[in-house]
Amino acid sequence: MPEASGLGQTPRIETIQSRLRPTHSRWDLQPLWRCVQAGGRFGPALDDPWGQQCRPDWAARGLVIWPRGGQWRELRLRLVCPANWLQLQQPEPVAQARLVLRWWADQVELRVDGARVHGGDLFDTACRWLLPERWWQGEALELELRLRSPVHDDGALIESRLELEPLDPADPVDLLAETKAELAQLRSGEPPTGRFHVLGHAHLDLAWLWPVADTWQAAERTFTSALDLIERFEELHFGHSTPALYAWLQQHRPALFARLQRAVAAGRFEPINGPWVESDCVLISSSSLLRQFQLGQQFSVASFPELEHYLAWLPDSFGFASGLPAVACSTGVRWFCTHKMAWNATNPFPHRLFRWRSRCGSELLALINAPIGTDGDPVAMERYRLAWQGATGVDSALWLPGVGDHGGGPSAEMLEQLRLWQQQGEAAPQHHGSLRGYLADLEPLAPRLPVWRDELYLELHRGCATSRPDQKRHNRTLERLLREAELAQALAGEPETVDWRTLLFQQFHDILPGTSIPEVFEQAEPQWRAARRSACLQRDRALQAWLGAGDGEDGCVGVGVGVGVGWWVAQLQPLPPRARSLRVPLGCWSWGGVKLPSQPARAGGQWLQLPPLAGVAALPLERTAAAAAPQAVQVEAAQVEAPVWREGWRCGNGLVSFELGPRGLEQLWDSQDQPQLAGPLAWRRFADRGEFWDAWDIATGYRDHPLAWQWQGEPSWLEQGELCTSFVWRGQCGASAVRLEGRLLANTPWLELVLSVDWRQRHELLRLEIPLAQPAQRWAADTSGGVLERPAQPVTAREQARWELPAISWIASVAAGGGLAVLLDGPQGVSACPEQLGVSLLRAPTWPDPGADNGLQRLRLALAPCPAGWCRAQVPKQAVAFREPLWLRPAAAQGRPKRHQALPPLGEGLLLLGCRPLGESGDVVLTVQNCSPCRRSLEVGEGWQLLERLDGLDQPLISQGKLSEDPWLLTPWSLGFWRVRPDGVQRLVVVVVKGVGEALGGRPEGLVHPKTGE
């Protein structure tokens, strides 16, 4: 997206002022442009009354202004060379003239004497066009400037002037005197004491106000232009990010990629990569964030082996999770570079060069780099350098000239301007070089740099976790399917490649947050679906191969073989044992001769309670068609575990209970009958308009603008039974019909809520606010790469600015007597204070997508009491169970199926991020995250060899001198990677997790033969 005000750099519109006084080297053209005004007459563009009435702040700065909405403004000017300038060229020419323009418009065209000489847009926002020689001979030039206003903002011609430059860099007639005086004023008359490290750059959003197809063309143009300029300007060095772009060039433009590789080998072109794309870094799971870095680093190492790849370039993502240093460090990254923290709207970020440390102790060197999308303006450069030097004490400032957002990079005009000022003693000297060279000079400063032990929260763009919920739904579904496909490949011993690239690409920071034009999402839809189908097919094929590959551990022969049909149900996460309920097709279901409890389901099929599944395991079931059931062999029936009961308006299952009333869900109790709510759940609706970045930002004062929400009568019971009891409540939210369904399942420690909305609002915010019976002292939520914990009562200005933040799958209050967790089918925007937890459900921005969020939406969450706190209640694992359904399929081969066990439950606080085959070797890589403050240690059961501990790039840690005394130790909040090798081919490794003060050993708990009890 376009660059906001940079550190030490003036904003593009708000502080750029036209120089109104003509001088011997500058001529302000703003008052000279003419346009068609009211009545069809031509007049001075600055006299148009619309700007004075509607944008007086801009008008006071001398801007030419016209209304938003894609409206064209045509400006004309007859340009004749002033007589005093003609005298400068006698007896010999000493100057050349440039037309300097800056605009805020989404399409620009400059014509001279009817011929098009320059074009631009919202991203290419300036030009320095060299006037032809004939103008110096007295020939007038007819200038025509056509500009189209942005859809979301008014248009402006910010500045227009003629500027003389000396033909001789020694400047014998002092044409640069005014600029030199400005530079001296900035330094209070002192000479420059530092220098610039200059690296050409072109920020290229993979999608935003253009579809992805345009991005490939922009990439080709950008890289071709940069390589051409490298040949023309011997000092130029150019850097660009995004392995996904390089991979596209490698496949589709091999000649250009080969040319690029030669420039890399010559040290002139620098891949500055890190993750696969410049991804969102707060809305994706830890698994996805890890894959972003793994795939990006692996491609960079393979394609550019002559370079060391130790930096992550993420200049424009909308904030960065506190777990990112741990993930990045695991893949060999040492440096993190961004500019986005300069966008903070409330509290300026305090550091520009610092050490960023995660909770596990992993640490990156972090640089808040120069603005992207800059040029060679010496005044802007010096203003930035002085600010950088004052903040860091470092003399050398990085400068990144080049058109950005839609690609482009440095232009010849920029480089010529840089060359001119390189030869002026009044300007700080320049050194053109690589980013790696610049960072290498900063590394010795590391021991004395400040340490930041927190997320990098962007105090802006708080609506990104809520806008376009369909993209979040696609993302979380495909994340799960890809992980399950890899796990299935490992179980079956079939190392077929599982392709993460579609998912990682769609996690780009203007796609997943929902901040692009509608064409981007329309074109992404078939890609999401194709990737889901592919991952689902891989998973199912591999699981059927695993389940049909041979005998399991102890046979459970089906009853009535030849009458019933064999099915498999599998749990694909190493969760604690629990008898779970799910909806299945109609029939008589049994396991090992025991009929499973069932209940007709109102939506079709029936509810079924399964035997407890412990860890990653698969259980053979038998289904007899309902019509054939009377002829089947009679079997005993299993008892329902923690059945659901209802008494009047109160309902529970022994683990959680709730009460309905005229105001909806009025109370929730935990297993000890402790009330959780201070009042009924509050479903709220607010006006949400007025922010410049519409799809990005929730209006700061939205709570001052509540809107009506009408419920139709009282809630009513929908289903009633021991396995499932549910209620429904209908209402109206403006023009949008609302249906709330609450569901409590047997032996489930949470109450599920599903809000279905036919969303037709505009510029509104839909929220759920949960009043807490026990005031929160702190709150916790999961984030990319870890867990956030915060005081519930904000004290500092920085804490107060974090009134909305993204959570991946849960948020929980922490109170003296326990707490309450909200499980999310997210990510979602959330909030917390001592009195309540809040979840932002839907928005309705209109730019850049006019219909964003509108249509049928289904929003799902759950309330889970935590009597002993979120960690003891294993809320992260509850969130996994809530979000990730069991796998249920007919058996590919009928016969005498047997139970299969892969991984036992992991210990408290441990989550499995990945289990994948390592090439053709038969080895498997396990990735585990410790989401607790305790140390954990992995042990391997009999028959399996745990080979070595790895880093995130599958390299042995022992060779890097990082092996601890206990190679299986996981320190608090850390990531761990292990390579294991099975002795056989039918089973995966059985991992036993030993925590502090506990040990889980031997046979996995909770799964026993229903008849023998073994």
Side-chain angles (χ1 to χ4, degrees):
M1 60 169 47
E3 189 56 61
S5 95
L7 296 171
Q9 184 195 31
T10 53
R12 287 183 173 179
I13 292 180
E14 297 300 334
T15 62
I16 295 178
Q17 301 183 22
S18 298
R19 300 181 175 94
L20 300 179
R21 296 189 304 275
T23 68
H24 78 288
S25 62
R26 296 178 186 172
W27 186 9
D28 180 29
L29 303 180
Q30 290 285 95
L32 304 182
W33 292 102
R34 300 173 69 81
C35 67
V36 176
Q37 298 184 350
R41 65 179 183 85
F42 259 86
L46 288 179
D47 291 348
D48 189 333
W50 186 89
Q52 297 285 349
Q53 296 170 1
C54 300
R55 296 305 296 261
D57 53 337
W58 287 11
R61 292 170 169 83
L63 277 61
V64 176
I65 319 162
W66 68 102
R68 69 187 63 196
Q71 300 189 42
W72 283 96
R73 175 55 53 99
E74 295 188 7
L75 305 175
R76 295 182 182 178
L77 171 62
R78 181 178 176 83
L79 191 61
V80 179
C81 184
N84 61 323
W85 283 15
L86 288 173
Q87 295 175 5
L88 288 174
Q89 304 294 70
Q90 303 298 327
E92 294 183 356
V94 298
Q96 60 184 14
R98 292 189 181 273
L99 175 62
V100 179
L101 301 174
R102 291 185 184 272
W103 55 79
W104 180 242
D106 73 358
Q107 190 169 329
V108 178
E109 184 180 75
L110 173 64
R111 290 182 175 270
V112 179
D113 295 334
R116 187 178 187 274
V117 298
H118 194 87
D121 50 33
L122 276 175
F123 324 106
D124 186 359
T125 61
C127 80
R128 293 177 58 83
W129 182 67
L130 183 65
L131 269 65
E133 183 62 29
R134 69 178 187 274
W135 183 73
W136 287 103
Q137 305 302 321
E139 182 178 337
L141 300 179
E142 298 292 340
L143 305 185
E144 181 182 355
L145 185 60
R146 301 182 70 244
L147 309 100
R148 188 174 69 184
S149 63
V151 174
H152 65 293
D153 198 13
D154 303 322
L157 177 61
I158 300 170
E159 67 173 340
S160 56
R161 69 175 186 271
L162 287 185
E163 191 173 279
L164 297 186
E165 291 180 347
L167 295 176
D168 181 356
D171 191 16
V173 293
D174 289 334
L175 296 178
L176 304 178
E178 292 184 50
T179 303
K180 291 177 180 178
E182 290 183 60
L183 295 175
Q185 184 177 9
L186 288 174
R187 296 192 297 265
S188 302
E190 297 294 327
T193 57
R195 70 170 188 171
F196 288 99
H197 188 100
V198 181
L199 174 67
H201 178 58
H203 179 60
L204 178 53
D205 285 328
L206 297 182
W208 182 31
L209 302 183
W210 55 88
V212 172
D214 285 6
T215 301
W216 307 129
Q217 300 175 18
E220 185 177 5
R221 290 194 305 267
T222 298
F223 292 152
T224 299
S225 172
L227 292 169
D228 290 344
L229 289 172
I230 283 173
E231 295 176 358
R232 179 177 167 187
F233 293 86
E234 61 182 13
E235 69 271 22
L236 175 62
H237 288 67
F238 181 81
H240 203 281
S241 66
T242 312
L245 287 177
Y246 292 113
W248 184 88
L249 287 175
Q250 188 178 41
Q251 180 177 358
H252 298 284
R253 300 293 185 270
L256 179 58
F257 187 74
R259 185 184 174 197
L260 185 152
Q261 284 183 307
R262 291 193 294 272
V264 171
R268 303 287 300 284
F269 196 112
E270 185 181 20
I272 47 177
N273 293 334
W276 182 245
V277 301
E278 291 181 11
S279 66
D280 184 274
C281 294
V282 293
L283 301 178
I284 61 178
S285 70
S286 300
S287 298
S288 284
L289 185 63
L290 177 61
R291 285 313 178 89
Q292 284 283 354
F293 278 91
Q294 287 176 328
L295 194 59
Q297 289 288 82
Q298 289 165 355
F299 176 87
S300 298
V301 170
S303 301
F304 308 107
E306 62 270 42
L307 297 177
E308 186 181 358
H309 299 279
Y310 56 80
L311 60 92
W313 184 262
L314 290 161
D316 201 31
S317 299
F318 310 145
F320 306 93
S322 58
L324 190 147
V327 173
C329 285
S330 73
T331 61
V333 173
R334 300 199 311 269
W335 274 96
F336 167 81
C337 304
T338 188
H339 177 69
K340 205 65 179 184
M341 300 312 295
W343 284 49
N344 272 7
T346 308
N347 303 290
F349 190 73
H351 308 304
R352 303 190 189 186
L353 184 63
F354 59 100
R355 291 148 58 194
W356 184 19
R357 185 178 298 166
S358 70
R359 298 184 77 177
C360 68
S362 299
E363 190 172 277
L364 297 174
L365 293 170
L367 170 69
I368 307 298
N369 55 260
I372 52 180
T374 57
D375 54 23
D377 179 3
V379 176
M381 291 175 65
E382 185 65 10
R383 187 178 290 114
Y384 171 77
R385 188 190 66 81
L386 292 172
W388 163 264
Q389 190 175 29
T392 65
V394 178
D395 290 340
S396 180
L398 179 67
W399 190 251
L400 303 166
V403 175
D405 289 313
H406 202 192
S411 64
E413 296 170 352
M414 293 180 193
L415 297 172
E416 288 165 355
Q417 188 179 26
L418 288 169
R419 268 188 178 178
L420 174 63
W421 284 97
Q422 168 70 353
Q423 301 175 74
Q424 309 304 315
E426 293 80 0
Q430 304 167 20
H431 169 75
H432 291 253
S434 69
L435 178 62
R436 287 168 173 81
Y438 180 73
L439 298 179
D441 291 339
L442 297 179
E443 285 204 18
L445 304 176
R448 57 186 179 91
L449 293 178
V451 177
W452 186 261
R453 298 177 177 87
D454 200 353
E455 63 179 319
L456 297 181
Y457 179 86
L458 179 64
E459 295 177 7
L460 195 69
H461 297 352
R462 298 177 179 91
C464 290
T466 309
S467 295
R468 292 294 311 219
D470 59 322
Q471 298 305 301
K472 281 73 171 177
R473 181 171 59 252
H474 287 319
N475 176 75
R476 63 180 177 260
T477 301
L478 187 53
E479 281 181 336
R480 173 179 60 82
L481 290 174
L482 291 171
R483 283 189 287 101
E484 291 177 349
E486 286 188 331
L487 172 66
Q489 298 287 345
L491 295 174
E494 299 179 356
E496 181 183 353
T497 300
V498 176
D499 191 354
W500 285 70
R501 290 176 297 177
T502 296
L503 173 69
L504 302 185
F505 190 95
Q506 301 300 337
Q507 290 172 343
F508 178 73
H509 67 259
D510 268 316
I511 300 179
L512 181 59
T515 53
S516 291
I517 58 174
E519 291 84 350
V520 172
F521 307 116
E522 292 166 5
Q523 294 172 13
E525 189 70 23
Q527 297 185 39
W528 283 118
R529 293 179 180 177
R532 286 204 306 269
R533 285 194 298 267
S534 176
C536 190
L537 181 63
Q538 283 184 296
R539 178 200 61 185
D540 291 353
R541 187 169 53 234
L543 284 176
Q544 293 286 10
W546 173 54
L547 297 172
D551 292 340
E553 291 184 3
D554 54 299
C556 298
V557 181
V559 177
V561 176
V563 177
V565 177
W567 285 64
W568 283 106
V569 62
Q571 179 171 271
L572 301 179
Q573 280 279 1
L575 299 175
R578 179 169 66 87
R580 296 174 65 173
S581 298
L582 76 161
R583 197 154 58 92
V584 300
L586 287 171
C588 179
W589 294 77
S590 61
W591 175 63
V594 176
K595 180 182 177 182
L596 299 177
S598 64
Q599 171 190 323
R602 186 178 184 276
Q606 64 189 34
W607 293 102
L608 188 73
Q609 188 175 70
L610 301 169
L613 284 166
V616 176
L619 192 67
L621 303 179
E622 184 176 7
R623 173 180 174 246
T624 303
Q631 288 76 36
V633 177
Q634 296 299 311
V635 295
E636 58 186 293
Q639 296 296 314
V640 177
E641 289 194 37
V644 181
W645 52 264
R646 185 176 76 83
E647 297 177 358
W649 287 103
R650 185 164 176 175
C651 177
N653 63 6
L655 303 176
V656 61
S657 59
F658 67 93
E659 185 173 56
L660 300 178
R663 295 182 294 172
L665 181 62
E666 296 188 350
Q667 190 53 268
L668 185 77
W669 290 271
D670 64 15
S671 59
Q672 302 168 11
D673 273 346
Q674 291 296 315
Q676 302 295 304
L677 303 180
L681 291 188
W683 302 90
R684 307 290 302 278
R685 171 183 167 222
F686 301 92
D688 176 25
R689 65 167 60 246
E691 298 299 314
F692 178 80
W693 297 106
D694 194 7
W696 292 258
D697 291 339
I698 295 176
T700 304
Y702 75 88
R703 302 196 69 85
D704 298 330
H705 305 282
L707 299 172
W709 183 316
Q710 298 177 341
W711 290 104
Q712 300 170 2
E714 299 180 354
S716 60
W717 295 108
L718 194 63
E719 287 183 277
Q720 299 182 54
E722 289 189 328
L723 293 186
C724 176
T725 295
S726 62
F727 66 88
V728 66
W729 199 17
R730 301 180 187 274
Q732 196 74 20
C733 181
S736 305
V738 177
R739 180 183 186 273
L740 173 65
E741 181 176 343
R743 180 183 300 135
L744 182 63
L745 299 178
N747 201 38
T748 300
W750 60 74
L751 171 65
E752 180 179 352
L753 301 173
V754 179
L755 187 71
S756 301
V757 188
D758 183 7
W759 189 238
R760 301 181 181 183
Q761 309 307 113
R762 292 288 190 274
H763 290 117
E764 292 188 8
L765 175 64
L766 199 65
R767 281 178 58 84
L768 168 62
E769 295 180 347
I770 305 163
L772 299 173
Q774 304 175 67
Q777 300 170 347
R778 298 178 62 81
W779 59 266
D782 67 335
T783 185
S784 301
V787 175
L788 279 175
E789 290 187 286
R790 293 280 181 271
Q793 182 62 56
V795 177
T796 68
R798 201 169 298 279
E799 291 172 347
Q800 292 167 359
R802 299 178 183 183
W803 46 265
E804 180 91 359
L805 75 157
I808 304 296
S809 64
W810 60 271
I811 180 173
S813 65
V814 180
L820 178 66
V822 183
L823 310 182
L824 305 170
D825 199 19
Q828 297 283 160
V830 298
S831 61
C833 66
E835 296 78 25
Q836 69 177 27
L837 298 177
V839 181
S840 294
L841 301 171
L842 281 174
R843 301 186 62 228
T846 58
W847 184 81
D849 182 356
D853 298 8
N854 281 180
L856 296 174
Q857 303 287 357
R858 183 176 183 270
L859 304 152
R860 180 170 170 262
L861 53 84
L863 305 179
C866 311
W870 69 267
C871 193
R872 289 289 181 89
Q874 301 196 60
V875 167
K877 293 186 179 182
Q878 289 193 44
V880 169
F882 174 70
R883 288 161 60 100
E884 303 196 6
L886 298 174
W887 182 82
L888 180 70
R889 295 290 188 279
Q894 298 296 314
R896 305 169 73 87
K898 301 178 182 181
R899 175 170 60 85
H900 284 61
Q901 181 72 39
L903 295 173
L906 298 186
E908 180 180 318
L910 294 179
L911 293 180
L912 180 69
L913 298 189
C915 176
R916 57 185 171 85
L918 185 61
E920 302 289 338
S921 65
D923 297 346
V924 172
V925 176
L926 295 174
T927 304
V928 177
Q929 182 179 25
N930 186 358
C931 293
S932 78
C934 300
R935 300 195 303 170
R936 309 289 178 185
S937 183
L938 300 182
E939 294 182 1
V940 181
E942 295 181 1
W944 297 94
Q945 182 182 7
L946 208 160
L947 300 178
E948 57 189 341
R949 191 160 184 173
L950 307 174
D951 64 12
L953 295 179
D954 300 339
Q955 299 302 308
L957 281 182
I958 190 170
S959 64
Q960 303 172 15
K962 300 178 182 178
L963 193 62
S964 64
E965 293 182 1
D966 181 358
W968 323 126
L969 182 69
L970 267 176
T971 56
W973 315 111
S974 65
L975 291 171
F977 308 85
W978 288 267
R979 181 163 69 98
V980 296
R981 177 179 298 166
D983 292 341
V985 295
Q986 304 303 331
R987 295 171 52 209
L988 187 69
V989 63
V990 175
V991 178
V992 178
V993 181
K994 183 172 66 178
V996 176
E998 65 173 347
L1000 298 177
R1003 189 179 185 85
E1005 296 179 0
L1007 186 60
V1008 296
H1009 193 285
K1011 288 190 173 180
T1012 66
E1014 296 179 354

